[in-house]
């Protein structure tokens, strides 16, 4: 799982600002995912991408945007339209034909 | 869409005892059921998974059982150790990619 990196580890944002979270993997995985984790809750899917230049909305996509220009990278932008963005964000990836998702170390976003 | 409920939310056991965590799912089309362990401040890691064509799977002290008729599956940890203390998440998937997670169980193993 060391092949998935997220940066930064901690991020502080002022209200009204957009912020982009980085996710990179060198596992040659086709699929990548973004989850949001709130205290005492499970992981909720924001967006996922199964191939380059294609992505789909998950359960809570409103206020978020993504891009998948390269196989290795799947950045997530938290826009000012996201009303409650403070959370722990986890990126994951998986390979074709396998269901296991490998997670990155996460980014903790705090809105001040 | 899929809905996964997980119980209990917290569980304390004495070291050496067994722990059982249960999950129910709503969509009978779900066919993949992984369990993840997340230690404090760290990433979730897969500990065991099961597919709908199998009723039980074991890996050393960990086992998962699946009842498709009742739409529930359970994680069993035997001979618990302090290092088993963590949050455990179940999940279910229809398309093998879009996981729906339960809300998690905080397991504490008391020495």
């Amino acid at each position: 799982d060391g092949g998935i990196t997220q940066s930064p580890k901690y991020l502080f944002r002022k209200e009204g600002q957009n912020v982009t979270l980085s996710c990179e993997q060198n596992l040659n995985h086709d699929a990548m995912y973004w989850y949001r984790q709130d205290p005492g809750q499970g992981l909720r899917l924001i967006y996922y991408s199964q191939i380059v230049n294609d992505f789909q909305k998950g359960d809570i996509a409103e206020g978020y945007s993504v891009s998948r220009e390269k196989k290795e990278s799947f950045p997530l932008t938290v826009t000012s339209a996201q009303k409650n963005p403070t959370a722990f964000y986890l990126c994951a990836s998986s390979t074709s034909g396998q269901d296991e998702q490998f997670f990155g170390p996460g980014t903790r976003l705090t809105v001040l | 869409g899929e809905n996964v409920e997980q119980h209990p939310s917290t569980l304390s056991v004495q070291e050496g005892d067994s722990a059982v965590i249960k999950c129910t799912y709503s969509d009978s089309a779900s066919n993949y059921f992984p369990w993840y362990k997340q230690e404090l401040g760290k990433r979730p890691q897969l500990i065991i998974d099961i597919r709908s064509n199998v009723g039980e799977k074991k890996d050393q002290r960990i086992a998962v059982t699946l009842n498709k008729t009742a739409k529930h599956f359970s994680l069993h940890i035997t001979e618990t150790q302090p290092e088993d203390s963590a949050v455990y998440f179940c999940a279910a998937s229809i398309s093998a990619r879009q996981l729906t997670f339960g809300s998690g169980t905080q397991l504490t193993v008391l020495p």
Side-chain angles (χ1 to χ4, degrees):
Chain A
D1 55 34
I4 304 177
T5 58
Q6 291 184 241
S7 61
K9 185 174 182 179
Y10 298 97
L11 187 58
F12 298 89
R13 186 195 96 175
K14 293 182 179 180
E15 283 191 17
Q17 290 181 336
N18 292 356
V19 63
T20 297
L21 282 59
S22 170
C23 178
E24 304 277 335
Q25 54 95 4
N26 62 4
L27 301 170
N28 199 33
H29 285 175
D30 300 299
M32 298 185 73
Y33 314 81
W34 274 106
Y35 292 93
R36 169 180 172 142
Q37 185 175 26
D38 294 284
Q41 298 188 33
L43 285 67
R44 292 183 289 168
L45 183 64
I46 304 172
Y47 268 98
Y48 65 102
S49 168
Q50 299 197 15
I51 56 173
V52 175
N53 293 321
D54 187 52
F55 49 83
Q56 285 79 41
K57 294 181 178 180
D59 299 322
I60 56 166
E62 185 176 353
Y64 300 97
S65 65
V66 294
S67 63
R68 186 83 188 277
E69 298 177 359
K70 298 186 300 182
K71 188 175 184 178
E72 308 79 39
S73 179
F74 191 41
L76 173 74
T77 297
V78 184
T79 74
S80 56
Q82 170 51 234
K83 298 305 179 187
N84 186 20
T86 295
F88 188 49
Y89 290 87
L90 286 158
C91 178
S93 69
S94 65
T95 190
S96 295
Q98 299 292 328
D99 295 316
E100 180 177 357
Q101 293 185 17
F102 294 85
F103 285 85
T107 292
R108 190 166 298 279
L109 173 64
T110 301
V111 174
L112 304 173
Chain B
E2 175 68 281
N3 182 51
V4 176
E5 295 192 357
Q6 183 173 345
H7 300 282
S9 58
T10 60
L11 179 60
S12 294
V13 298
Q14 290 294 137
E15 183 176 357
D17 287 350
S18 296
V20 181
I21 302 171
K22 299 181 179 181
C23 289
T24 60
Y25 60 99
S26 61
D27 196 323
S28 56
S30 288
N31 57 12
Y32 175 65
F33 307 91
W35 286 88
Y36 283 83
K37 175 183 180 182
Q38 186 178 30
E39 297 178 4
L40 187 63
K42 296 190 176 180
R43 70 190 80 189
Q45 293 192 310
L46 181 72
I47 55 172
I48 196 167
D49 56 12
I50 192 168
R51 297 186 180 280
S52 58
N53 58 349
V54 176
E56 183 176 6
K57 183 177 179 180
K58 291 183 179 180
D59 183 4
Q60 299 183 338
R61 297 186 296 109
I62 294 173
V64 56
T65 58
L66 172 65
N67 183 327
K68 288 190 294 182
T69 303
K71 290 189 285 187
H72 67 69
F73 56 112
S74 301
L75 177 71
H76 304 254
I77 306 174
T78 60
E79 301 174 15
T80 53
Q81 302 167 4
E83 52 265 38
D84 294 328
S85 296
V87 179
Y88 291 82
F89 292 98
C90 64
S93 172
I94 298 173
S95 65
R97 293 298 180 89
Q98 298 179 57
L99 292 176
T100 300
F101 285 83
S103 55
T105 296
Q106 173 68 62
L107 173 64
T108 302
V109 179
L110 304 170

